[in-house]
């Protein structure tokens, strides 16, 4: 019998594995062994790549060749325990201490026996002031390229805010300075105060939440974010990108009053107005009541002078108008027009008379011409007109029969005659 034949019955007798292939297939009746879960977790975690993270050292404990560090996020209440070999710590340029800001390259590691997750630190480096400034400068350039710092998008402050939103530290001098100086300048001013952490890991979240709340408040006309200066590390929250973008999105004008002249945080760049100190912010947000009263008095005096000058000028104009002949003796205009009418009437009468005389002479002349051409004038010269009884003028003797009746018209009248057939003596043949 072959060896394969010997092993075959054994393989057939071995029961198939009942362990589920995946976690989703496990059940109370078919669980995983604990070591299998631990092995799978370890395999999954080891596939995660190493990552650089940033944080602040809040605990540091060195024991011979190992160092144990608790690192906290710079903006949130999140912490993580690190395991650092002594050789890695020896490469650090300057000794670390509590409060140091560092960047570390971490690789997660899972211990199967104890089920503990540890963060192995491959490299760790302190973040110096120069690194922070360089990082802020890079962010400044990136946000400026987006136009967040453009003067065109900055909103004007209200001339006289009724209520001021104030975001500042709890019971801080900055809050007192703003409220005191604003009240001295304009006693009727009102405040909507939000006391928040202005440094530390929770600063960005609290300031952003207060900003959103005041921006949504219907009575808040302007918002002041105030802090009384501080070290660069303390002012880092005011250069946080999320806070800068929150200020850029705000519909209400925002005034930055951080009070740090040496290294300006990015909040100063994105705010609608930058004040050098909280006191300066109060002076620039509300007007001085005494100055405004003085301006009102000046404006009132200028208005009174203008009215007096206007009344005097108009009075002189009215006097000049009243002194004109047309207003001093209004009937003079009628007299002038009456004389014009009389002159025109006389001219029309003369023109009409002359025209009538001319036409009368023309009529007389025509009458004489007509009379000189009339038959009566011919009769007056001794001629006669012979007519038949029916009125026909006799022009030829052949038109008259002998013994026929005729009428003869002379200058003095007419008479009847009888035609004869004998020629009249002396008549032309």
């Amino acid at each position: 019998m072959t060896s394969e034949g010997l092993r075959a019955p054994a393989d057939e007798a071995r029961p198939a594995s009942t362990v589920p292939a995946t976690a989703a297939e496990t059940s109370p009746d078919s669980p995983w062994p604990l070591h299998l879960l631990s092995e799978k977790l370890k395999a999954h975690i080891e596939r995660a790549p190493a990552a650089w993270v940033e944080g602040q050292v809040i605990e540091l404990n060195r024991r011979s060749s190992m160092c144990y560090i608790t690192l906290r996020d710079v903006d949130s209440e999140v912490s993580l325990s690190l395991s650092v070999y002594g050789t890695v710590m020896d490469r650090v340029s300057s000794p670390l201490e509590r409060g140091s800001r560092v960047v570390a390259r971490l690789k997660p590691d899972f211990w199967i026996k104890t089920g503990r997750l540890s963060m192995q630190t491959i490299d760790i480096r302190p973040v110096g002031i120069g690194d922070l400034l360089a990082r802020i400068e890079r962010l400044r350039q990136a946000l400026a390229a987006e136009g967040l710092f453009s003067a065109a998008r900055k909103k004007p402050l209200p001339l006289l805010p009724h209520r001021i939103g104030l975001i500042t530290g709890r019971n801080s001098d900055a809050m007192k300075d703003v409220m005191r100086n604003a009240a001295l300048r304009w006693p009727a001013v009102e405040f909507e105060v939000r006391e928040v952490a202005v440094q530390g890991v929770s600063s960005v979240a609290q300031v952003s939440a207060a900003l959103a709340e005041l921006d949504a408040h219907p009575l808040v006309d302007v918002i002041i974010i105030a802090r009384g200066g501080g070290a660069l590390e303390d002012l880092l929250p005011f250069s946080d990108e999320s806070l800068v973008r929150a200020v850029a999105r705000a519909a209400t004008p925002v005034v930055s009053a951080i009070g740090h002249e040496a290294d300006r945080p990015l909040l100063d760049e994105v705010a609608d107005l930058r004040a050098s100190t909280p006191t300066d912010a109060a002076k620039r947000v509300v007007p001085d009541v005494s100055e405004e009263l003085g301006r009102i008095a000046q404006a009132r005096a200028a208005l009174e002078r203008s009215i007096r000058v206007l009344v005097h000028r108009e009075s002189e104009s009215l006097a000049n108008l009243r002194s004109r002949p047309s207003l001093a003796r209004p009937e003079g205009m009628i007299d002038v027009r009456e004389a014009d009418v009389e002159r025109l009437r006389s001219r029309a009468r003369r023109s009409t008379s002359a025209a009538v005389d001319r036409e009368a002479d023309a009529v007389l002349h025509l009458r004489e011409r007509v009379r000189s051409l009339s038959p009566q004038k011919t009769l007056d010269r001794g001629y006669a007109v012979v007519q038949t009884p029916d009125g026909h003028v006799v022009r030829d003797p052949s038109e008259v029969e002998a013994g026929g009746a005729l009428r003869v018209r002379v200058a003095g009248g007419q008479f009847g005659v009888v035609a004869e057939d004998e020629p009249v003596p002396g008549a032309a043949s």
Side-chain angles (χ1 to χ4, degrees):
M1 184 176 293
T2 62
S3 58
E4 288 79 0
L6 292 173
R7 287 195 298 269
D11 293 339
E12 292 176 357
R14 183 181 302 165
S17 176
T18 59
V19 176
T22 63
E25 297 174 359
T26 60
S27 67
D29 298 329
S30 182
W32 266 357
L34 183 58
H35 73 87
L36 181 57
L37 175 61
S38 298
E39 291 170 357
K40 288 184 178 293
L41 285 175
K42 182 175 179 62
H44 179 75
I45 290 172
E46 286 181 347
R47 286 197 297 269
W52 284 97
V53 298
E54 182 180 7
Q56 185 178 23
V57 176
I58 58 174
E59 288 186 8
L60 189 148
N61 187 7
R62 186 160 187 173
R63 299 177 185 175
S64 63
S65 62
M66 288 295 295
C67 184
Y68 300 97
I69 296 176
T70 301
L71 199 65
R72 186 175 63 187
D73 188 272
V74 294
D75 296 325
S76 304
E77 290 291 347
V78 177
S79 59
L80 195 63
S81 297
L82 312 182
S83 298
V84 189
Y85 285 105
T87 55
V88 176
M89 291 294 294
D90 293 339
R91 294 198 302 265
V92 178
S93 58
S94 59
L96 299 182
E97 57 185 14
R98 290 185 179 180
S100 297
R101 191 163 179 153
V102 299
V103 290
R105 190 164 184 259
L106 308 181
K107 182 73 170 67
D109 187 21
F110 185 76
W111 293 83
I112 293 180
K113 290 185 178 182
T114 59
R116 183 170 61 88
L117 178 67
S118 65
M119 304 302 294
Q120 296 296 326
T121 305
I122 302 172
D123 193 4
I124 187 168
R125 302 174 188 178
V127 178
I129 298 298
D131 297 327
L132 294 175
L133 291 176
R135 189 180 303 171
I136 292 174
E137 185 59 30
R138 287 194 298 271
L139 181 58
R140 187 193 308 273
Q141 294 177 3
L143 296 179
E146 292 184 25
L148 263 65
F149 303 156
S150 172
R153 58 158 297 278
K154 295 187 182 298
K155 297 176 285 296
L157 268 62
L159 179 64
L160 180 59
H162 175 68
R163 181 169 296 183
I164 299 174
L166 179 58
I167 302 174
T168 185
R170 294 178 178 85
N171 197 28
S172 63
D173 292 337
M175 177 179 67
K176 298 174 183 176
D177 288 344
V178 172
M179 298 181 70
R180 181 175 61 252
N181 286 280
L184 288 174
R185 292 175 63 83
W186 197 267
V189 69
E190 299 178 3
F191 282 92
E192 193 75 25
V193 182
R194 296 295 181 271
E195 297 182 75
V196 298
V198 292
Q199 69 182 56
V201 294
S202 60
S203 176
V204 173
Q206 293 187 20
V207 172
S208 299
L211 175 65
E213 184 178 349
L214 293 177
D215 188 35
H217 199 294
L219 300 180
V220 172
D221 300 320
V222 64
I223 300 172
I224 299 176
I225 302 177
R227 176 192 162 91
L232 175 63
E233 294 86 346
D234 297 335
L235 300 180
L236 288 177
F238 299 101
S239 293
D240 183 83
E241 182 177 359
S242 62
L243 178 58
V244 171
R245 293 188 181 278
V247 173
R249 290 192 302 268
T252 308
V254 178
V255 177
S256 173
I258 305 304
H260 195 269
E261 293 289 344
D263 302 303
R264 293 176 56 173
L266 298 184
L267 179 63
D268 288 349
E269 307 290 347
V270 74
D272 299 296
L273 176 68
R274 175 188 177 271
S276 58
T277 61
T279 300
D280 181 47
K283 292 180 179 180
R284 300 181 70 174
V285 168
V286 295
D288 189 342
V289 64
S290 58
E291 293 179 0
E292 296 303 316
L293 290 175
R295 291 192 183 97
I296 292 174
Q298 293 175 0
R300 182 178 296 168
L303 182 60
E304 291 177 354
R305 287 195 301 271
S306 299
I307 292 176
R308 284 197 297 269
V309 170
L310 177 62
V311 171
H312 179 69
R313 183 170 62 247
E314 296 301 323
S315 298
E316 290 183 345
S317 299
L318 184 59
N320 292 334
L321 291 174
R322 295 178 62 184
S323 64
R324 292 181 180 180
S326 58
L327 293 180
R329 188 175 176 274
E331 63 273 14
M333 294 186 293
I334 299 177
D335 295 341
V336 172
R337 296 295 178 265
E338 184 180 9
D340 292 341
V341 170
E342 185 61 31
R343 184 173 61 256
L344 293 174
R345 182 185 296 164
S346 300
R347 184 186 300 175
R349 186 180 292 113
R350 288 194 302 270
S351 298
T352 302
S353 299
V356 169
D357 293 341
R358 285 195 305 272
E359 297 302 324
D361 291 342
V363 169
L364 181 62
H365 178 67
L366 290 174
R367 181 182 297 168
E368 291 299 327
R369 289 181 63 186
V370 170
R371 285 178 178 175
S372 66
L373 297 175
S374 68
Q376 185 66 38
K377 283 291 185 182
T378 303
L379 296 176
D380 290 343
R381 289 198 300 271
Y383 291 92
V385 178
V386 180
Q387 295 174 306
T388 60
D390 58 1
H392 178 69
V393 177
V394 179
R395 291 180 176 81
D396 190 88
S398 62
E399 298 178 357
V400 179
E401 296 179 0
L406 298 173
R407 286 185 301 174
V408 179
R409 179 181 293 278
V410 294
Q414 61 181 358
F415 56 91
V417 296
V418 176
E420 295 181 356
D421 56 357
E422 297 181 359
V424 178
S429 55

